[in-house]
């Protein structure tokens, strides 16, 4: 059973079930032309917060070989979608003017959609020069995301779009990731099953 911490920022309540350290395994299975690229990997994924109304996200994967060879990492931020208001800090290091908004459960509840979900936005950065910006919905223990934009550096591999699905099933974090990359249309790419370890 997941217990929510009442000391978390109110805006995190709809996605606070993610907070913690998760570890498990997954599989990549992606067809490029006539070739299918497959491998199994281990993953450590963490969602933390620093008192601000967003989750810090980090994922580290390794190959399931004898050496646990490091594979890929990604980092990012997850938050509810809402307009930035005067009380929010930024841009840059500018302080907000007046009280911070959405600091109570009642205020956050005004962000709930008629279907019971909350709109969220996620930014994920890959060290290979790809930045993904996702829009999606959190509805209880399920999160659906689709890229709104993908930015790449000149040195990055071709990567055009993605969807991600996260869900809490039998106290495990299950996820699936579809990508459009290397000239392929959007298709199944990877999935994993993780258990909370902290």
């Amino acid at each position: 059973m997941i217990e929510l911490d009442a000391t978390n920022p109110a805006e995190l309540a709809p996605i606070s079930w993610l907070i913690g350290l998760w570890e498990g395994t997954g599989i990549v299975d992606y067809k490029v032309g006539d070739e299918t690229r497959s491998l199994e990997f281990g993953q450590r994924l963490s969602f933390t917060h620093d008192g601000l109304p967003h989750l810090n996200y980090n994922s580290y994967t390794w190959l399931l070989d004898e050496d646990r060879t490091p594979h890929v990492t990604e980092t990012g931020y997850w938050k509810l979608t809402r307009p930035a208001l005067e009380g929010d800090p930024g841009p840059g290091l500018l302080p907000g003017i007046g009280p911070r908004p959405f600091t109570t459960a009642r205020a956050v509840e005004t962000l709930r959609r008629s279907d019971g979900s909350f709109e969220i936005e996620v930014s994920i950065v890959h060290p290979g020069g790809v930045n993904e910006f996702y829009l999606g919905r959190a509805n209880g223990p399920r999160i659906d995301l689709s890229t709104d934009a993908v930015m790449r550096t000149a040195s990055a591999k071709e990567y055009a779009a993605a969807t991600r699905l996260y869900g809490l099933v039998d106290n495990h974090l299950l996820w699936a990731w579809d990508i459009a990359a290397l000239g392929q249309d959007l298709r199944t790419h990877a999935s994993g099953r993780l258990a909370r370890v902290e």
Side-chain angles (χ1 to χ4, degrees):
M1 170 182 270
I2 300 295
E3 292 185 25
L4 302 181
D5 184 346
T7 64
N8 290 341
E11 278 188 72
L12 296 183
I15 55 175
S16 64
W17 60 270
L18 291 165
I19 295 173
L21 181 63
W22 304 82
E23 194 166 299
T25 61
I27 187 163
V28 171
D29 192 46
Y30 192 66
K31 188 170 184 179
V32 180
D34 294 331
E35 174 192 0
T36 298
R37 301 179 187 175
S38 298
L39 66 91
E40 292 183 68
F41 59 88
Q43 182 180 30
R44 183 177 312 110
L45 191 150
S46 70
F47 287 94
T48 61
H49 77 88
D50 45 23
L52 295 170
H54 61 263
L55 293 180
N56 304 308
Y57 164 82
N58 284 286
S59 171
Y60 168 74
T61 60
W62 60 91
L63 302 180
L64 292 178
D65 58 14
E66 188 175 293
D67 298 323
R68 291 176 55 119
T69 304
H71 187 47
V72 298
T73 63
E74 54 185 25
T75 191
Y77 301 96
W78 296 50
K79 68 186 197 89
L80 296 187
T81 299
R82 65 164 179 83
L85 301 174
E86 281 192 352
D88 291 309
L93 292 175
L94 292 174
I97 299 171
R100 288 203 176 184
F102 298 98
T103 57
T104 66
R106 176 175 285 168
V108 172
E109 192 60 30
T110 66
L111 300 173
R112 187 185 297 272
R113 298 170 42 86
S114 60
D115 66 0
S117 68
F118 289 86
E119 292 184 12
I120 65 171
E121 51 192 69
V122 173
S123 56
I124 296 178
V125 179
H126 304 260
V130 172
N131 291 358
E132 299 171 277
F133 299 98
Y134 289 91
L135 298 178
R137 292 190 183 150
N139 196 351
R142 178 184 169 130
I143 296 173
D144 293 273
L145 302 170
S146 296
T147 47
D148 181 53
V150 174
M151 297 181 357
R152 295 182 291 129
T153 62
S155 63
K157 292 183 178 180
E158 190 273 322
Y159 185 94
T163 63
R164 297 189 189 214
L165 167 67
Y166 295 81
L168 186 64
V169 179
D170 295 330
N171 288 322
H172 284 83
L173 178 60
L174 277 59
W175 62 264
W177 183 10
D178 296 351
I179 65 172
L182 305 176
Q184 307 302 304
D185 56 359
L186 191 66
R187 60 183 61 184
T188 301
H189 166 60
S191 61
R193 180 181 179 98
L194 311 175
R196 186 186 300 274
V197 295
E198 251 180 52

